[in-house]
Amino acid sequence: MLKAKKQTWRELGDAVALTGESPFWDPVRRAVLSVDIRGERILETNWDDGNARIFPVEGLPAFIAPLTDGTLAVATRHGIIGLSRTTGRCIEMLVPAWFADHLRLNDGTIDPAGRLLIGTMAMNGALEGQLFAIERGQPPVALIDGIGIVNGLAISPDGLWLYISDSHPDHNCVWRYRYDCAGPTVCDRTLFADFKRLGIAGAPDGAAMDVDGGYWIAALGGSALIGFDRDGRIAHHIALPVSQPSKLAFAGPDMTEVAVTSFSRGDQSAPAGTLIAVSMPSVGAPLQTLAW
C-alpha cells in the first residue's frame, strides 16, 4: 500500500452533522448539498463563505440530488420526496410499493440517462440490500440483490462501468459491473477491491470518479480517501482529519477539490461531523443531472 500523504484541507462552514452523508456539488449555486441522516435535515453549504441553509426532513434522508428546476430530490426511509429550496415544503415523489418496514434507502448516483440508481439496506443487519434504477413515472428496475449495505455507487466517465461497494462487515469490498445504460442492465461482475485483502483500514463507503476513470472512496473508520486506478490498484491514500469519512464529491469551480462528509466521533482533529474540503491530485468527473 502507498504511504499516506497529508493533504491540504479546510472546513466548509461550521454546520455540524450527526451523520453527514451524500455530498453533491451544485455548480449553479456554488454550493455543496449534503444530508444529516440521524439529524434528519438537509444542508446547503455555500462554497465561498461557508454559510449553510438547513432544511428539516423527516425519515432518515440518505441521498440528495438537484433537479433542473432547483428542487431537491431526497431519498428517505419512506421513499423519495421533492424539497423546495424556496419554501422548504416537501412533496411526495415516489413511495415504492416494494418497500418494507425494516428497509431504508441508502447511497445513490445518477446514470448518463439521468436515472436515479439507489440502493436499499436492511436496518436489522440482514444481507437484503438491492440496487434499483428508477425513472419517475416508471416501475423501478431491480439491478442487483443480495447486498449487505449498498454504498460506493459511481459510474465511469464513459458510462460503461458501474461501481458498488458493500460496506457490510461480512463483505467489505467494491464490485465492478459492465453497465448498459440503454436497458438499464448490469453484467460481468468482478471483484474490484477487497479492503481486507488489501489491508485498508475501515469500510468502503461513498465514492466518486475522476476524469481519468479513477475511483475514489471514503474509508469509514479509516480516516482516509483511497484512490484506485482503472485496474483496481491503489494509486492514492489521502489521510484525513476525520476518523469517519462517509462520502466525497468533487467540487469547486475547477473540480480539483472534494467535499467530504463524516459521522460525529470525538477522535478526529476537525470538529466532529464537519463538512471539509480537501485538495486533490486529480480532476473530478462532472456529476450527471437527475432527469425527473
Side-chain angles (χ1 to χ4, degrees):
M1 179 181 292
L2 298 182
K3 184 179 179 181
K5 297 179 180 179
K6 288 189 176 181
Q7 203 77 0
T8 303
W9 64 274
R10 61 188 174 91
E11 294 178 25
L12 277 174
D14 55 7
V16 174
L18 294 175
T19 311
E21 263 284 11
S22 188
F24 199 106
W25 170 242
D26 183 347
V28 175
R29 303 199 183 199
R30 290 178 64 92
V32 176
L33 302 165
S34 61
V35 304
D36 182 354
I37 300 176
R38 286 189 293 142
E40 297 196 312
R41 56 187 189 158
I42 305 302
L43 288 75
E44 180 186 314
T45 304
N46 185 277
W47 184 256
D48 301 308
D49 60 21
N51 288 333
R53 301 176 67 203
I54 298 175
F55 304 93
V57 173
E58 295 180 354
L60 302 176
F63 177 78
I64 188 169
L67 305 182
T68 54
D69 64 358
T71 301
L72 302 180
V74 184
T76 76
R77 178 178 178 180
H78 309 299
I80 299 171
I81 64 169
L83 170 66
S84 168
R85 283 191 272 188
T86 302
T87 65
R89 288 186 60 246
C90 295
I91 60 169
E92 185 178 286
M93 297 181 74
L94 174 69
V95 178
W98 38 262
F99 229 42
D101 289 342
H102 69 289
L103 297 175
R104 73 168 176 86
L105 295 172
N106 199 44
D107 194 31
T109 192
I110 301 168
D111 81 358
R115 298 184 191 90
L116 174 62
L117 303 185
I118 194 157
T120 61
M121 60 173 285
M123 292 185 289
N124 60 8
L127 302 179
E128 298 179 15
Q130 292 181 280
L131 178 68
F132 292 88
I134 303 177
E135 296 181 69
R136 194 173 185 188
Q138 301 294 325
V141 176
L143 297 178
I144 305 169
D145 58 18
I147 309 168
I149 303 175
V150 175
N151 269 311
L153 289 171
I155 294 178
S156 60
D158 58 14
L160 297 179
W161 299 99
L162 168 67
Y163 296 82
I164 179 171
S165 73
D166 189 339
S167 51
H168 193 282
D170 288 354
H171 294 163
N172 218 39
C173 63
V174 181
W175 302 95
R176 183 168 65 183
Y177 293 79
R178 176 72 70 171
Y179 187 69
D180 181 357
C181 190
T185 57
V186 296
C187 63
D188 299 337
R189 185 180 85 162
T190 58
L191 179 61
F192 183 74
D194 185 325
F195 268 41
K196 293 179 181 177
R197 182 177 60 82
L198 293 171
I200 300 173
D205 206 334
M209 303 292 303
D210 66 32
V211 293
D212 297 318
Y215 177 77
W216 291 85
I217 191 162
L220 183 71
S223 304
L225 300 178
I226 312 297
F228 293 92
D229 66 17
R230 296 183 182 187
D231 296 318
R233 295 185 294 256
I234 299 175
H236 302 277
H237 185 287
I238 297 177
L240 296 177
V242 291
S243 63
Q244 304 291 318
S246 54
K247 190 171 181 177
L248 66 150
F250 281 91
D254 56 4
M255 299 287 277
T256 57
E257 292 182 89
V258 290
V260 182
T261 50
S262 64
F263 295 178
S264 292
R265 285 285 297 270
D267 52 343
Q268 47 197 18
S269 56
T274 303
L275 182 69
I276 63 173
V278 183
S279 61
M280 296 293 280
S282 56
V283 178
L287 296 172
Q288 299 290 335
T289 300
L290 187 58
W292 277 28

